[in-house]
Every structure is written in C-alpha cells, then in structure tokens.
C-alpha cells in the first residue's frame, strides 16, 4: 500500500527519496512521485509504474535538500500520473503526500470547488493540499493543523512549502509515520525500512500527533498544539536484511531463512525447568492469565489461517475454548466483548487496518488484547496491551512465509504457557518443549527437499484449478496452502475440510483437478486416508503432504515431512506448501515477490 519518505538536511534530497521509495516497493503500489524544494517553486515528478520509471523521468539536475516522495496504491481514482502523489496547491508552492483515506473528501471537494478551486486529480488526497493552501494561519505547522482538523478519515501526511523551505510538517491519524534522526539531517517515512540505510534512531508518531521536522531536529505536538515529548528508539533492522543476499527473490530468501529465524525466536523462551514457555512481553501475571475462560484470535488472510492453527493448539494443550475469526469481519459485526476472554491480534506487518480496528474496538469495550506481531514498534504492537514479538526479521515478499511460520510457533508458545497454567502435565509440557526445539532443524530438512518439491510443482502448475484438503488440524494448513498457491501462481485453488468432501465438492473431482491433501500422522489418519480413496476412485490426481512411513494405500505423489508432535505438525506441514506455490509460480513466470493487485501491508479497510 502507499508509502511515504521525506528528507531534510544537507544532501540532495532526490536520490535519498528515490532510494527510500525503492525500499517501500514491497508494500505494493502502482505509481510513484517526488517533490523537491528547489530555488523558486517546488519541483514535482510523478510516473505510473515502478520506481525505476520514476528514476528515468527525473531531470538530470534536481538540486534541493528538502523533499518528500510517495508510492501510491490506487483507491480514489485510477493509477494515472495526475492521481499520483505529491499533490500541489494551485500556485504550486505547497506540495503534499498522503497515505490513508479521507472519508469526507467529496463534501470538502464540493466546498472547495464552490470557493473557486480547480482540482487537478480525482484523488481524495488533493482536498488536503488545498485546505493547507487556503488556511489563513501563518506557520506551516498551523496550516497543516487547520487542514487536518477539517478532515475525517485516516492519514499520514507530509507537507513541504516554498514559503517555509527549511522544514517538512507531518501528521498522523491511523496510518503509520516515523521520524529518522540523523546528523544534521532528518528523515520521515511510513515504514522504518525506508530509513535504515541512513539511521537506526527513530521516533514513532501516535495518532493525532503532528511534527515539524528540520535538519536540526523536530518538534512533536498534538492537534491542540500541545507539545509532546518523545523518546528515541533504536531499530535493530539493518539494510543488509533488505537485500536479496544471493537469492533470486525475497520469497525464496525468506523461506530459507526460517531455520535461523526460528532458532532466534525460540532463544530464551523455552523453560525446561517448568516445561513451559516464557513470554514476559504479554505483561499478564500467571494468576490473571489463568482467569481467562476463552481465547479469541483475530487476524486477516494468512494470519487468520495461522490463527485457526493457534486456536486448535490452545484447545489441545490448554483445554480452553479458542477460535479465530477474520478481523475484517469481526470489526463490522458489533462483537460481544467478554471480560474473561483473552483476545489475540495476529499480524506480520502490525499495520493491517482491519486488525488494528478490531484491537481498538475490543479495547473500547473494555476487553484485553495482546498481539502476536512481527514488526517491532508497529501500530498493532503499540496498541495492544502486551504481546509476543515474532522476531522473523523483515519480510519483503508480499506472500508471507517465514512470518507465518513464526506465528504458528508463537501460538505454540502461548498454548504451552496457558496449558501449563491449566492442566497440561509436566510430561506433556516437556514433550512440546522438545518438539519446539526440534522444529528449526526439521524445517531445514523440508527446505532441503526443494528440488523434489519443485518437480511436483511443475506437474500441478498447469492445472486450471486445485483442491486443498485437510481435516481438523490439517484444515488451516490446507487453507494457507491454497492461499499461497493462488496468490503467486494466479491459479484457482480452493481449500475444503476433508470431512465436507461428500457434501458437495466431490462432484468436481476429475482427472483434470489435482487434489493436494494434508494427511498428518495423528488420530485422524484413517479418516483422512478414506478421503484419499474417495478422490482416487473418481480419477482425481493426488498429491499428499504427510510423514515418512505413513501407509496411504493409494496411488499418489507424496511429500514427506519429518514427524514432530501432533500439536506442532501443522507448522511443519505448511513449509512444503510454500515451496509448492513458489515453484508453480516460477514455472508460470509470475512476478513472485510482487503479485498483481496485492499489497504487503493493507493499511486501508
Ligand atoms: C498472504 C498474506 C496476507 C496477510 C494479510 C495480513 O501471504 O500475506 O494474507 O497475511 O494481509 O497481513 P498482516 O499479517 O501484515 O496483518
């Protein structure tokens, strides 16, 4: 989704802005632009397409040490140069970029047009720049304050003006914004990955806050013009983590990082002495944690599917009712919030608007919500009452892989902790602790089978449609497998509970429709094998993801993953499905890291 960068300092702004925008490419976008304060009027360059197209469009000389840049993901108005940001005031002296959505844009536009303003784009954003320009306030800070006080919606905005050429003024409400502190220079971005090449010292703005940023420092203040002191945080992400490091794609790199990142995540979180997990970040005392009678997990897309895995881990290990729901649905249905329910928000980016809204809705109604979040300092991580950081490191590919595996492990840790506070025996706790210790090596063992999985992927890649089947613990695995497959291969893939086969979808089974079946070696093995026979008897080609030594008694292609504990097996069973989707997409020649129409971080509803 849209991205913002800004620079004020002693260097030429344009190359820094363009480099920052290229770091934000992974978020998904369809046009890009920069605005630089040159002597005289600001200079704005915008293009439809990639950041490299913007680079081609830049003039040879674009001097200026203050500027802002943007990658746009079209919402209001198609992807055209006129709709790309930055937007300009009518006299061209004020330039503005915006992430988010202005809900009352239509009414404001009507009012501004009636006052004689001619609009140059179809965007909701453009009202903002005209409101800034028309403000009677004197300082740029007050003009921006004036403008944002008239809009309803979500925004991260950055504004520069030829009349205040030493500064960028920014404001945040519902869309992330961070300041980067350098030596006699300052940076602004919607995502720390755009800053890490220049500084590790950052300041996060909260909703309702503004900042005035100059080369010498910054001032943060509220909509009531009250100054707010800020603490500087150090980010651990390094620029190297955002490089391909010898891999052809980020998705490939991120899948192969999993054994190391999992080891890092588990470090210090397993307690052998009491056969439990240590999750200090939850900030909930054991006695209080024991009081929760239910767990409700909220996330979107793949995070929701892993949430389903997490719910079954919690029910299995802690024996308390748990379920997962798409945060995007939850927020629209006036949910009943119960005081004895522990709410868990799960998100890689920590910026998914639907999940963030669900968190706020729970809190507004007095509920307690903790986060399982990957990006440190992200909006969801900060909004939650505590949580577990996933420590998967930056994930750049739009299709999530390592972060999801970490979510699965995060839920296993939470389930273990809750279990040991309830009736999970020491022996069973120790079994799970040992299982978790084995996971990184077992993930490595699956990744080592990449070549064989690539061969299987080539055989299913050409099928127009695929079924993914799984039962109980295997069902979320099937859902995630289908999701990954369709996201990057653009092939239709549908997940079904194996138990539902006879209730309709069996009619579709034919030699043209391959079925990918998830068959863990657990108490449901016999029933799952039964489903394989039903498919095979109707001529449906089968690819079975199972464990070594499992007798399926049916002709099929198979991928064997190492056996762990039944509660943890779903995490391992998803790994070959990542590789399957990846290699099918590769055979089909798709843009693996940036699938069409999708964004990494879905910051609008
Ligand atoms: C799938 C995928 C999406 C995300 C979803 C939630 O590969 O990446 O389905 O899982 O948009 O995103 P986060 O986890 O950032 O909240």
């Amino acid at each position: 989704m849209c991205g913002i960068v800004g620079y004020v300092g002693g260097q030429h702004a344009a190359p820094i802005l363009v480099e920052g925008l290229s770091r934000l490419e992974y978020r998904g976008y369809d046009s890009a632009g920069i605005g630089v304060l040159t002597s005289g009027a600001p200079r704005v360059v915008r293009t439809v397409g990639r950041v490299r197209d913007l680079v081609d469009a830049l003039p040879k000389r674009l001097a200026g040490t203050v500027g802002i840049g943007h990658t746009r993901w079209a919402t209001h108005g198609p992807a055209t140069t006129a709709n790309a940001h930055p937007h300009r005031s009518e006299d061209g002296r004020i330039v503005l970029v915006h992430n988010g959505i202005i809900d009352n844009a239509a009414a404001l536009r009507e009012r501004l047009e009636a006052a004689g303003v001619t609009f140059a784009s179809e965007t909701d954003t453009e009202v903002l720049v005209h409101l800034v320009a028309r403000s009677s306030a004197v300082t740029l800070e007050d003009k921006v304050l004036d403008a944002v006080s008239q809009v309803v919606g979500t925004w991260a905005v950055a504004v520069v003006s030829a009349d205040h050429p030493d500064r960028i003024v920014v404001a945040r409400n519902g869309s992330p914004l961070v300041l980067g502190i350098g030596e006699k220079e300052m940076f602004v971005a919607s995502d720390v990955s755009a800053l890490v090449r220049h500084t590790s010292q950052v300041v996060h703005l909260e909703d309702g806050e503004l900042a005035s940023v100059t080369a010498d420092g910054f001032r943060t203040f509220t909509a009531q013009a009250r100054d707010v002191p800020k603490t500087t945080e150090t980010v651990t992400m390094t620029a190297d983590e955002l490089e391909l490091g010898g891999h052809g794609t980020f998705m490939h790199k991120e899948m192969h990082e999993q054994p190391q990142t999992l080891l890092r995540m588990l470090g210090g979180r397993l307690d052998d002495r009491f056969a439990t997990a240590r999750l200090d970040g939850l900030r909930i005392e054991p006695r209080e944690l024991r009081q929760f009678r239910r767990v409700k997990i909220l996330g979107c897309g793949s995070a929701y599917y892993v949430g389903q895995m997490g719910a079954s881990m919690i029910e299995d290990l802690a024996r308390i009712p748990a379920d997962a729901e798409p945060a995007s649905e939850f927020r629209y249905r006036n949910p009943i919030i119960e005081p004895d329910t522990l709410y868990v928000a799960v998100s890689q980016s920590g910026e998914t608007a639907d999940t963030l809204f669900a968190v706020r809705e729970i809190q507004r109604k007095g509920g307690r919500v903790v986060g399982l979040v990957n990006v440190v300092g992200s909006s969801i991580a900060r909004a939650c009452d505590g949580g577990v950081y996933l420590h998967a490191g930056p994930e750049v590919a739009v299709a999530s892989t390592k972060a999801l595996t970490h979510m699965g492990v995060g839920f296993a840790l939470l389930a273990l902790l809750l279990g040991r506070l309830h009736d999970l025996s020491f022996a069973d706790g120790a079994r799970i602790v040992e299982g978790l210790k084995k996971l990184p090596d077992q993930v490595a063992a699956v990744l080592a089978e990449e070549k064989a999985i690539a061969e299987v992927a080539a055989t299913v890649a050409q099928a127009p449609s695929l079924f993914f089947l799984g039962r109980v613990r295997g069902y979320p695995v099937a859902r995630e497998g289908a999701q990954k497959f369709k996201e990057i291969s653009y092939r239709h893939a549908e997940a079904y509970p194996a138990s539902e086969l006879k209730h309709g979808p069996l009619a579709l089974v034919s030699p043209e429709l391959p079925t990918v079946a998830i068959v863990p070696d657990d108490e449901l093995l016999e029933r799952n094998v039964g489903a394989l026979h039903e498919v095979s008897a109707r001529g449906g080609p089968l690819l079975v993801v199972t464990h070594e030594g499992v007798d399926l008694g049916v002709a099929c292609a198979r991928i064997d993953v190492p056996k762990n504990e039944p509660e943890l097996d779903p995490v391992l069973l998803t790994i070959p499905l990542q590789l399957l989707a990846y290699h099918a997409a590769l055979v089909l020649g798709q843009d693996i890291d940036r699938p069409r129409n999708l964004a990494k971080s879905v910051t609008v509803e």
Side-chain angles (χ1 to χ4, degrees):
M1 295 242 137
C2 307
I4 288 177
V5 290
Y7 175 77
V8 45
Q11 306 184 57
H12 284 308
I16 294 171
L17 297 175
V18 166
E19 195 269 333
L21 290 182
S22 69
R23 299 280 164 196
L24 298 178
E25 284 194 290
Y26 77 99
R27 294 171 66 102
Y29 69 107
D30 41 45
S31 52
I34 62 169
V36 175
L37 289 183
T38 54
S39 46
R43 184 81 191 263
V44 169
V45 184
R46 303 178 292 183
T47 49
V48 173
R50 299 289 188 200
V51 172
R52 61 174 176 268
D53 301 315
L54 175 67
V55 174
D56 292 342
L58 289 178
K60 284 223 161 34
R61 231 182 101 68
L62 183 52
T65 60
V66 181
I68 51 180
H70 192 263
T71 46
R72 172 173 188 256
W73 202 75
T75 53
H76 287 57
T80 60
T81 309
N83 288 337
H85 300 209
H87 290 284
R88 277 170 289 203
S89 56
E90 284 180 294
D91 63 5
R93 295 186 71 73
I94 297 174
V95 172
L96 175 146
V97 293
H98 163 233
N99 287 355
I101 291 181
I102 304 300
D103 294 334
N104 60 342
L108 289 168
R109 188 176 181 117
E110 213 172 288
R111 200 181 84 200
L112 286 160
E113 279 175 340
V117 174
T118 307
F119 276 74
S121 78
E122 297 161 74
T123 64
D124 54 334
T125 297
E126 198 185 338
V127 296
L128 273 169
V129 75
H130 298 307
L131 290 174
V132 175
R134 296 212 144 213
S135 164
S136 56
V138 178
T139 64
L140 185 58
E141 291 77 0
D142 286 346
K143 283 177 187 289
V144 175
L145 245 176
D146 237 16
V148 296
S149 67
Q150 297 174 65
V151 294
V152 177
T154 54
W155 58 85
V157 286
V159 190
V160 292
S161 163
D163 300 317
H164 309 272
D166 64 338
R167 65 196 55 218
I168 305 174
V169 176
V170 298
R172 169 187 170 145
N173 186 50
S175 278
L177 206 51
V178 60
L179 311 182
I181 303 166
E183 279 287 315
K184 293 255 173 242
E185 57 185 2
M186 288 284 297
F187 306 84
V188 166
S190 51
D191 180 328
V192 285
S193 56
L195 306 174
V196 289
R197 184 158 284 267
H198 307 284
T199 179
S200 60
Q201 301 302 300
V202 302
V203 165
H204 291 275
L205 292 196
E206 301 294 343
D207 284 348
E209 290 179 354
L210 296 91
S212 175
V213 186
T214 64
D216 296 321
F218 65 94
R219 178 173 80 85
T220 40
F221 51 100
T222 64
Q224 292 71 39
R226 194 167 33 80
D227 279 10
V228 266
K230 286 281 171 188
T231 22
T232 304
E233 293 169 38
T234 304
V235 287
T236 50
M237 186 194 299
T238 63
D240 286 353
E241 288 179 281
L242 301 170
E243 304 293 342
L244 280 168
H247 293 266
T249 62
F250 280 103
M251 183 176 174
H252 194 260
K253 178 188 179 214
E254 286 155 12
M255 288 189 294
H256 282 271
E257 281 173 344
Q258 294 178 109
Q260 282 76 38
T261 57
L262 284 172
L263 256 182
R264 184 175 65 201
M265 176 194 190
L266 288 169
R269 283 176 162 165
L270 294 176
D271 181 338
D272 287 306
R273 195 159 151 238
F274 294 106
T276 186
R278 240 185 268 129
L279 299 175
D280 300 338
L282 285 179
R283 299 202 293 261
I284 307 179
E285 290 303 316
R287 190 171 309 201
E288 211 184 335
L289 209 47
R290 247 189 81 90
Q291 309 293 321
F292 291 112
R293 302 256 66 85
R294 244 186 115 77
V295 178
K296 175 96 190 168
I297 298 163
L298 297 154
C300 291
S302 293
Y304 155 58
Y305 301 141
V306 187
Q308 282 195 311
M309 273 182 217
S312 82
M313 288 175 190
I314 291 167
E315 292 206 341
D316 278 348
L317 297 177
R319 302 303 299 152
I320 51 177
D323 75 321
E325 183 177 339
S328 47
E329 288 283 298
F330 177 87
R331 64 172 290 189
Y332 288 112
R333 66 168 182 82
N334 193 14
I336 297 164
I337 304 300
E338 294 159 316
D340 57 358
T341 297
L342 176 65
Y343 294 88
V344 183
V346 57
S347 173
Q348 186 289 125
S349 62
E351 301 297 348
T352 301
D354 287 322
T355 312
L356 181 58
F357 189 94
V359 169
R360 300 227 157 101
E361 184 66 0
I362 294 162
Q363 290 171 330
R364 194 183 63 75
K365 292 182 172 177
R368 181 85 169 255
V369 54
V370 295
L372 247 66
V373 176
N374 191 37
V375 176
V376 177
S378 56
S379 302
I380 295 171
R382 288 137 63 78
C384 284
D385 304 309
V388 180
Y389 273 125
L390 299 174
H391 295 307
E395 196 178 65
V396 175
V398 165
S400 187
T401 52
K402 63 174 179 170
L404 299 178
T405 309
H406 280 236
M407 287 174 193
V409 172
F411 279 118
L413 291 167
L414 181 62
L416 174 62
L417 177 65
L418 290 171
R420 291 289 291 132
L421 290 173
H422 288 85
D423 295 327
L424 189 72
S425 67
F426 181 90
D428 273 330
R431 179 174 66 77
I432 299 299
V433 168
E434 290 312 308
L436 284 166
K437 285 185 190 164
K438 277 194 270 176
L439 257 182
D441 283 345
Q442 291 185 320
V443 169
V446 180
L447 292 168
E449 295 303 314
E450 178 166 7
K451 200 157 162 281
I453 297 171
E455 280 164 21
V456 182
T459 66
V460 294
Q462 305 301 339
S465 187
L466 269 87
F467 258 163
F468 282 71
L469 287 187
R471 190 188 304 261
V472 188
R473 291 191 198 107
Y475 179 48
V477 179
R479 296 188 88 183
E480 171 48 21
Q483 162 98 329
K484 207 87 311 153
F485 202 87
K486 66 185 132 192
E487 262 183 313
I488 56 170
S489 74
Y490 310 154
R491 291 284 187 226
H492 176 249
E494 194 173 349
Y496 252 97
S499 48
E500 284 286 294
L501 202 54
K502 283 206 242 5
H503 300 291
L506 202 52
L508 288 176
V509 170
S510 75
E512 285 73 49
L513 183 95
T515 293
V516 181
I518 317 305
V519 181
D521 186 3
D522 63 9
E523 69 281 6
L524 297 171
L525 178 62
E526 211 176 303
R527 303 239 44 87
N528 283 325
V529 169
L532 300 183
H533 282 276
E534 282 166 11
V535 173
S536 178
R538 280 143 191 102
L542 277 169
L543 166 58
V544 184
V545 181
T546 184
H547 302 288
E548 260 165 48
V550 170
D551 181 9
L552 300 169
V554 72
C556 62
R558 62 188 281 169
I559 301 171
D560 289 342
V561 307
K563 178 88 188 85
N564 197 297
E565 298 302 328
E567 299 87 343
L568 302 177
D569 279 335
V571 177
L572 265 175
L573 290 162
T574 55
I575 309 292
L577 300 181
Q578 299 172 349
L579 290 166
L580 187 76
Y582 178 85
H583 283 284
L586 204 62
V587 167
L588 296 167
Q590 313 300 18
D591 184 350
I592 290 181
D593 283 341
R594 295 191 207 107
R596 68 183 180 207
N597 307 336
L598 296 180
K600 182 67 183 163
S601 173
V602 186
T603 50
V604 294
E605 61 185 77

